[in-house]
Amino acid sequence: KRLVLSGLASVADVQTLEMAVSKLDDAEVKVEASQAVVQIARGLSDQHPQEAAAALNQVLAQPANEAARKSAQAALNQIKPKQ
């Protein structure tokens, strides 16, 4: 699961974003899923800002590690001025 999530992180696509978001509730890979969502959302933020922001807000709603939350918030802050 971890390997798949790390691979997904390099593909900026709405479907891969949805796949990574679906793993946020999986305790085994929650941190990796959060990191993947942040990376994918950053790649999608110009063309799909609403989807990227929604996914980042889901990361922020998770009790993931602090580094993942900070990365998600930073990415979200970059998207908001564009909207």
Side-chain angles (χ1 to χ4, degrees):
K1 290 180 187 179
R2 287 180 175 90
L3 186 59
V4 170
L5 284 166
S6 67
L8 287 178
S10 65
V11 181
D13 179 78
V14 174
Q15 289 180 322
T16 57
L17 181 63
E18 291 170 358
M19 200 178 301
V21 167
S22 74
K23 297 298 179 190
L24 288 173
D25 292 326
D26 187 334
E28 285 184 43
V29 292
K30 183 178 292 212
V31 172
E32 290 83 358
S34 296
Q35 293 168 342
V37 168
V38 171
Q39 285 184 282
I40 297 166
R42 284 183 183 194
L44 288 176
S45 64
D46 285 337
Q47 294 186 342
H48 300 281
Q50 286 87 7
E51 291 88 343
L56 291 167
N57 281 317
Q58 287 186 280
V59 171
L60 291 172
Q62 296 289 320
N65 71 15
E66 191 60 28
R69 292 178 53 76
K70 285 182 180 179
S71 293
Q73 187 62 60
L76 188 59
N77 290 345
Q78 290 178 337
I79 291 170
K80 289 197 175 195
K82 296 177 188 177
Q83 292 181 355

